[in-house]
Each structure stands twice: as structure tokens, then as C-alpha cells.
Amino acid sequence: MNLLTEPLPHLVDVAGHKFPIVWDFRAGIKLETLMDNPDLPDDEKATQMLELYYPCKTIQHIPNEWQWFLTHLPEAQDAALKFYTGWQAPELPGQEGTDDSDKKRACSFYYDSANIFASFWQQYSIDLTCAKLHWWTFVNLLTALNEDTPQGRIMMYRTIDTAGMPKEQKQQYEKLKRRYELPEIVSKAEQERDERIAYILEHGGDLNDLG
């Protein structure tokens, strides 16, 4: 999609039917936070995604559509995910087939919320506490933050490739990478297990006790 020539979507196609979707950027932020929660089962994530993007009140008033919608929930989930990722520009030559697992996490809406707010205010004079921004608009503005802003600078530190840099410069950037590195996403069970292992190792216990 070309943001300069095509209107931003406010409706999505669910099995050939058009339905209103919550296009505000806050829904996208909530969904990303939801998807990053390792303790939430996938079926619960899917349910909450539908509640975020298709509030009942926006559909129930459409004659004969509510019951039809309830029988096409998988298609509604696919449409919501397509909307969520639809802001992305076409891949540039040489980027095709890039493995997402190789991409560094540049941003967290949880840990970076204050810096994102300050950066939008600094660069765009946008107050995110009251702004009405389409999700696609918000993400494109976020990715375009320059390095003079707090969040733009932090995202640069997290993703910069230090290969080939002079030794001192590389050491400086690697230090900044570690400083601003985002915590690994782990489930509560994994975190508790790691804490038990650390406790056992510190107190000279037996790791076989973990079971």
C-alpha cells in the first residue's frame, strides 16, 4: 500500500464482508503487548485480539451481521492480523526472505513508553496522550524517529551493526547495546526455574532436585 496515494483503512474484509475495525494506535500497542506475553495461551490471545479490534457495540448494530460474524471468527482473526501488519512497506531488494528471528528487537511499548512519548513530542509536536492516530500512521512515524530523539537514538543503539568498526568505536557501541538491551521475553515458569537454579548454585545444592 502507498500511504501517499491510498486512504488508510477503517474497514477490514472478513470473508467478503466489510467490518469496522478499531484503527487507533492504542489498540495496536495493546495487541503487541498481548502477543509478547508468554504466559497467555494462544487461544486467549486470539480472543482478546478480537475484543480489541472488533468491540461488540460496533458490529451488533449492523442488521443481520452479528450472528454471521460470530460464525466467521477465524477469518476475523486473520483480517485483524493483516490489519496489524499491513503498515509495513514492501521489502527492498536484498531484504526478501529475511528471517524475523535474526532481526534485533528495536523497541518495546512497555519499557520504552516514556521515551516514545517524549520523542513524538520532540520531533512531531504530537502529544500521544490525546492524539488520534491511525495505527499505520503511528508505526511509520515511530520507525522514522531520528537519532536526535531519545527513542530514535536508543533504537539505533539496539540495532546498529558494529562489524567493521574501529576497535574503540565498536567497544563504545557494544557497551551502549548492553545498556539499552531489552530483557529477554520468558514465561513466569521459566523465570521461576532460572531463579531456582541460581539459588541452588549459590547455596551448593543439587540441580537434580529440579526434577
Side-chain angles (χ1 to χ4, degrees):
M1 175 180 180
N2 189 328
L3 293 178
L4 301 179
T5 59
E6 301 175 55
L8 293 169
H10 293 74
L11 301 172
V12 294
D13 187 288
V14 179
H17 288 227
K18 296 293 185 182
F19 284 94
I21 194 164
V22 177
W23 48 265
D24 188 84
F25 75 97
R26 295 170 183 85
I29 290 176
K30 290 177 181 178
L31 178 60
E32 185 147 323
T33 304
L34 179 73
M35 293 301 182
D36 280 345
N37 184 350
D39 295 308
L40 200 63
D42 288 343
D43 58 345
E44 182 62 24
K45 289 180 179 180
T47 299
Q48 292 192 31
M49 176 180 67
L50 291 173
E51 293 172 352
L52 274 173
Y53 275 135
Y54 305 103
C56 296
K57 62 182 180 181
T58 67
I59 300 175
Q60 287 179 328
H61 75 281
I62 305 175
N64 304 319
E65 291 291 344
W66 178 240
Q67 285 302 124
W68 186 94
F69 180 83
L70 292 178
T71 62
H72 292 79
L73 295 183
E75 293 91 338
Q77 292 170 8
D78 291 341
L81 285 174
K82 185 176 181 180
F83 174 84
Y84 171 72
T85 59
W87 64 270
Q88 296 170 340
E91 291 182 323
L92 298 174
Q95 291 183 332
E96 299 88 343
T98 302
D99 186 352
D100 285 343
S101 64
D102 292 335
K103 296 178 181 178
K104 302 178 181 67
R105 291 177 66 209
C107 178
S108 164
F109 292 129
Y110 178 78
Y111 292 103
D112 296 332
S113 58
N115 284 321
I116 293 172
F117 171 82
S119 298
F120 268 69
W121 181 259
Q122 176 182 329
Q123 184 164 325
Y124 306 120
S125 298
I126 293 176
D127 182 350
L128 289 178
T129 63
C130 56
K132 293 292 288 183
L133 287 178
H134 193 284
W135 168 242
W136 294 11
T137 302
F138 169 77
V139 181
N140 277 280
L141 292 176
L142 175 64
T143 58
L145 288 173
N146 62 51
E147 295 172 13
D148 292 331
T149 64
Q151 187 61 26
R153 188 160 51 251
I154 289 172
M155 291 192 295
M156 182 271 290
Y157 291 151
R158 288 173 180 158
T159 59
I160 193 169
D161 184 1
T162 59
M165 286 185 177
K167 182 178 179 180
E168 290 187 2
Q169 185 183 30
K170 181 175 182 177
Q171 289 175 340
Q172 178 184 5
Y173 277 110
E174 290 295 341
K175 181 179 179 180
L176 290 167
K177 274 178 175 286
R178 291 190 296 272
R179 178 179 178 182
Y180 292 105
E181 183 179 16
L182 291 169
E184 183 181 358
I185 298 175
V186 296
S187 67
K188 185 177 181 180
E190 291 174 314
Q191 182 178 356
E192 290 176 349
R193 181 178 176 83
D194 290 343
E195 290 173 354
R196 287 173 61 197
I197 291 174
Y199 180 86
I200 290 172
L201 293 175
E202 182 180 353
H203 294 83
D206 188 350
L207 291 177
N208 291 324
D209 294 339
L210 288 172

